[in-house]
């Protein structure tokens, strides 16, 4: 399996956990970038194969090498959970060598109908988890995703505890950024949300992000509050996963952090701007009630995009229809 963006990779994890529980005698090999290896640590019967996109597996000759490298592992079937050019090439090579293969159907036609401005078909599409499960079903391994398996909460290292303290507080994670601006809750409103939550001393609010600019913004947000801590840039990725597994709730945009928290069994409240959970990206095992969406009465063309990369004039303030108090109430509801 060749996977790319963080959210895409995180969404495969609950499906693979279901697979190894339901087929304990079958061995899985996941092909992905080395960075994503911690997602799969501790999953039984699963081996991680690091995809070297910069050197060994670069370009078409590299894909031939990748095929040869993976073939040595005596693969019986190939599940393409990504359906992009590179994964298609490797999948085809396995098919030509007589192996079974199946590729995820991303449902592009349905997504076009959901996001187009005219004659919009506004209905719930299959989730990515259902689409991944169909791939395994096509290979002869039907999956039941209704009884999810999650890892135990990680034991927090002294490095993390030195930063967040060891008080008996509810841990609220907030990841206020996303890849595209149309998916980011306005910063002034997010500051209101954080200020209201910080009023309760029994809550500890942990801010997540990455990159110099985001770290600076999160530092300025956390500075006035004793119980708000910016975690960005302070711990390694693996430690971040450990910390997220201990959260009581995660508040996130439609972004990778939502899927990471969900794959670890954490309750997730998501905020949606240009995108919508109907496209199939609601985090795993979360209900639509926990997804707060922009007002479609005011902005009837929503959703305007599957990934948030399309700018529609006049829709810049769509997320302002999600009120800070609504967000605060929804987060507190998950803590009760």
């Amino acid at each position: 399996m060749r996977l790319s963006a963080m959210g895409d990779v995180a969404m495969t994890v609950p499906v693979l956990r279901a697979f190894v529980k339901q087929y304990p005698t079958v061995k899985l090999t996941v092909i992905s970038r080395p960075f994503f290896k911690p997602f799969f640590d501790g999953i039984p019967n699963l081996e991680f194969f690091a995809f070297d996109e910069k050197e060994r597996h670069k370009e078409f000759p590299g894909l031939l090498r990748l095929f040869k490298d993976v073939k040595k592992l005596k693969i019986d079937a190939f599940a393409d959970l990504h359906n992009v050019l590179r994964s298609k090439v490797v999948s085809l090579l396995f098919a030509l060598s007589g192996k079974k293969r199946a590729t995820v159907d991303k449902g592009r036609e349905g997504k076009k109908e959901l996001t187009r401005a005219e004659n919009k078909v506004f209905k719930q599409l299959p989730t990515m988890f259902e689409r991944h499960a169909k791939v395994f079903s096509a290979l002869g391994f039907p999956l039941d995703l209704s009884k999810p398996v999650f890892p135990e909460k990680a034991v927090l290292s002294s490095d993390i505890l030195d930063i967040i303290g060891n008080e008996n507080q509810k841990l609220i994670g907030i990841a206020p950024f996303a890849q595209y601006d149309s998916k980011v809750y306005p910063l002034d409103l997010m500051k209101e949300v954080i200020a209201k939550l910080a009023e309760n001393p029994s809550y500890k609010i942990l801010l997540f992000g990455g990159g110099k600019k985001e770290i600076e913004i999160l530092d300025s947000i956390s500075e006035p509050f004793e119980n708000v801590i910016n975690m960005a840039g302070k711990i390694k990725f693996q430690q971040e996963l450990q910390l997220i597994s201990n959260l009581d709730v995660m508040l996130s945009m439609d972004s990778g952090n939502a899927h990471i928290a969900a794959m670890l069994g954490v309750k997730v409240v998501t905020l949606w701007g240009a995108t919508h959970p109907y496209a199939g990206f609601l985090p795993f095992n979360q209900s639509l009630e926990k997804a707060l969406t922009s007002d479609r009465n005011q902005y009837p063309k929503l959703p305007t995009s599957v990934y948030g990369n399309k700018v529609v004039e006049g829709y810049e303030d769509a997320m302002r229809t999600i009120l800070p108090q609504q967000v605060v109430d929804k987060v507190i509801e998950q803590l009760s």
Side-chain angles (χ1 to χ4, degrees):
M1 292 165 284
R2 230 302 282 155
L3 315 160
S4 80
M6 196 175 297
D8 293 340
V9 184
M11 282 188 284
T12 67
V13 174
V15 179
L16 300 183
R17 285 192 179 277
F19 186 100
V20 297
K21 188 171 187 210
Q22 290 163 48
Y23 300 99
T25 60
V26 180
K27 184 183 164 193
L28 291 177
T29 301
V30 169
I31 307 165
S32 194
R33 294 185 180 121
F35 180 80
F36 295 124
K37 186 180 181 296
F39 282 6
F40 304 95
D41 287 350
I43 300 180
N45 289 345
L46 186 148
E47 185 177 326
F48 186 87
F49 183 95
F51 169 68
D52 180 3
E53 67 183 323
K54 290 196 171 72
E55 287 183 23
R56 181 161 177 78
H57 304 130
K58 188 181 175 184
E59 295 173 347
F60 185 72
L63 293 181
L64 292 175
R65 277 193 290 275
L66 175 64
F67 167 65
K68 286 174 184 168
D69 290 346
V70 178
K71 200 179 169 196
K72 287 176 194 163
L73 304 174
K74 297 182 178 164
I75 302 293
D76 295 301
F78 188 84
D80 177 3
L81 300 186
H82 197 36
N83 194 357
V84 293
L85 187 59
R86 284 195 288 210
S87 62
K88 284 177 182 174
V89 169
V90 179
S91 176
L92 178 63
L93 291 170
F94 271 104
L96 292 173
S97 71
K99 304 297 180 188
K100 280 185 86 172
R101 61 152 177 177
T103 301
V104 68
D105 170 12
K106 289 187 169 177
R108 290 186 176 98
E109 198 50 47
K111 287 171 183 172
K112 266 186 206 163
E113 291 174 351
L114 176 68
T115 55
R116 67 193 178 198
E118 306 298 324
N119 303 317
K120 187 184 287 291
V121 181
F122 186 68
K123 67 172 187 183
Q124 172 76 63
L125 297 174
T127 68
M128 281 312 294
F129 312 102
E130 291 165 335
R131 293 186 189 279
H132 291 330
K134 271 186 96 168
V135 175
F136 290 110
S137 192
L139 293 173
F141 302 97
L143 288 179
D144 176 7
L145 300 179
S146 67
K147 298 182 183 78
V149 186
F150 299 111
E152 295 286 313
K153 285 185 180 188
V155 176
L156 295 179
S157 66
S158 56
D159 291 0
I160 299 173
L161 293 172
D162 286 347
I163 300 168
I164 71 166
N166 206 3
E167 301 94 345
N168 189 21
Q169 292 163 295
K170 294 278 188 188
L171 296 181
I172 301 171
I174 299 183
F177 302 110
Q179 189 176 357
Y180 299 107
D181 289 346
S182 69
K183 301 203 292 185
V184 177
Y185 194 56
L187 214 53
D188 59 316
L189 301 187
M190 184 54 86
K191 285 177 180 174
E192 274 188 55
V193 169
I194 290 166
K196 283 182 177 174
L197 290 169
E199 285 171 9
N200 189 331
S202 68
Y203 298 161
K204 178 146 286 178
I205 296 137
L206 307 173
L207 307 180
F208 294 89
K212 191 166 179 280
K213 190 184 166 198
E214 289 186 8
I215 291 171
E216 284 171 8
I217 294 169
L218 295 178
D219 274 338
S220 71
I221 291 174
S222 61
E223 209 259 328
F225 307 102
E226 220 172 280
N227 57 340
V228 180
I229 300 169
N230 173 21
M231 298 306 301
K234 291 182 182 168
I235 53 177
K236 294 186 179 127
F237 181 54
Q238 198 150 7
Q239 293 174 307
E240 201 169 294
L241 295 182
Q242 292 166 0
L243 179 55
I244 290 172
S245 81
N246 279 268
L247 296 178
D248 293 285
V249 62
M250 170 68 94
L251 170 64
S252 172
M253 307 303 104
D254 166 23
S255 71
N257 279 293
H259 296 295
I260 290 171
M263 82 178 189
L264 295 168
V266 173
K267 293 175 182 175
V268 185
V269 173
T270 42
L271 307 182
W272 302 73
T275 60
H276 195 281
Y278 274 13
F281 297 105
L282 185 72
F284 183 70
N285 202 42
Q286 310 295 320
S287 64
L288 278 167
E289 285 72 42
K290 287 189 259 181
L292 300 177
T293 56
S294 302
D295 187 348
R296 291 191 66 249
N297 290 323
Q298 229 171 303
Y299 295 95
K301 290 179 186 172
L302 291 175
T304 56
S305 168
V306 174
Y307 304 109
N309 53 345
K310 189 176 164 191
V311 178
V312 175
E313 203 179 327
Y315 275 57
E316 299 83 2
D317 288 337
M319 283 189 99
R320 290 190 174 275
T321 61
I322 305 171
L323 304 179
Q325 192 58 52
Q326 276 179 284
V327 181
V328 171
D329 292 345
K330 191 58 72 175
V331 169
I332 292 170
E333 190 183 291
Q334 305 314 309
L335 294 170
S336 60

